[in-house]
Amino acid sequence: MTGAIWNLLLALAWVVLSGDFTGLNLVVGLVIGYIALLLIEPQVEALKGYPGRIPRILGFIGFFIKELLMANLKVAFDILTPPWHMKPGVIALPLEAHTELEITMVANLISLTPGTLSLDVSDDRKVLYIHAMFLDDEEELRRNLKEMEYRALELFR
């Protein structure tokens, strides 16, 4: 968290010192601040691990946008074609997430994806119950959801 704050402060300093108050200039400031923090990371204990987190975040965003697009296309195709292909059902997904924040993030990412909805978490916080619109291949759905969980948890570790 300290690295993100420093990166934002460096970006804001860049915007103020350059006198160009635009979004593009803020992005340039974020990139320059990231490079500066990458260079000084070995000397500053509070920055340990921060530069490696940014590529993981960007990779996850790309992965999630791809999953979101594919799920939207699948749902749209099912709605627009006369014979419906959906086979709804509920599955139990064993969780690797342990903390409340991790479980909440995984459940929300699943619910944000069209065709799936997080219903409940077991009392022992080890199983997430999910309603799926397309339950043709349960194992493939589990693999896709576990991949999403794994990538989301990588952001925290």
Side-chain angles (χ1 to χ4, degrees):
M1 185 58 110
T2 304
I5 293 170
W6 275 107
N7 198 355
L8 185 60
L9 288 174
L10 288 170
L12 291 174
W14 172 265
V15 168
V16 170
L17 292 173
S18 68
D20 183 15
F21 298 94
T22 62
L24 180 61
N25 197 35
L26 180 63
V27 170
V28 169
L30 285 169
V31 170
I32 291 172
Y34 175 76
I35 292 169
L37 294 174
L38 180 67
L39 293 173
I40 66 168
E41 181 206 8
Q43 289 83 24
V44 181
E45 184 67 30
L47 295 177
K48 293 292 184 210
Y50 173 72
R53 192 170 293 142
I54 297 298
R56 285 194 313 251
I57 290 171
L58 294 176
F60 178 77
I61 289 171
F63 165 78
F64 189 69
I65 288 173
K66 180 190 73 98
E67 290 293 317
L68 203 59
L69 181 65
M70 296 305 291
N72 274 302
L73 290 174
K74 189 172 186 177
V75 171
F77 175 78
D78 193 51
I79 290 170
L80 295 175
T81 55
W84 285 4
H85 305 286
M86 72 173 97
K87 293 182 181 151
V90 176
I91 64 167
L93 181 73
L95 288 172
E96 299 297 322
H98 299 296
T99 67
E100 294 292 325
L101 179 63
E102 292 173 347
I103 294 170
T104 302
M105 183 169 176
V106 169
N108 284 333
L109 288 170
I110 290 171
S111 291
L112 283 172
T113 308
T116 55
L117 177 68
S118 300
L119 298 175
D120 197 10
V121 179
S122 64
D123 291 336
D124 61 357
R125 303 282 192 246
K126 294 185 187 272
V127 177
L128 180 64
Y129 297 100
I130 300 164
H131 178 273
M133 190 172 162
F134 302 99
L135 201 56
D136 301 329
D137 187 0
E138 189 174 330
E139 288 309 311
E140 181 184 351
L141 178 63
R142 282 184 200 280
R143 276 193 305 276
N144 290 341
L145 294 174
K146 289 305 271 182
E147 175 71 17
M148 186 178 297
E149 178 188 24
Y150 172 76
R151 288 180 177 248
L153 293 178
E154 282 296 307
L155 299 177
F156 292 104
R157 298 177 181 153

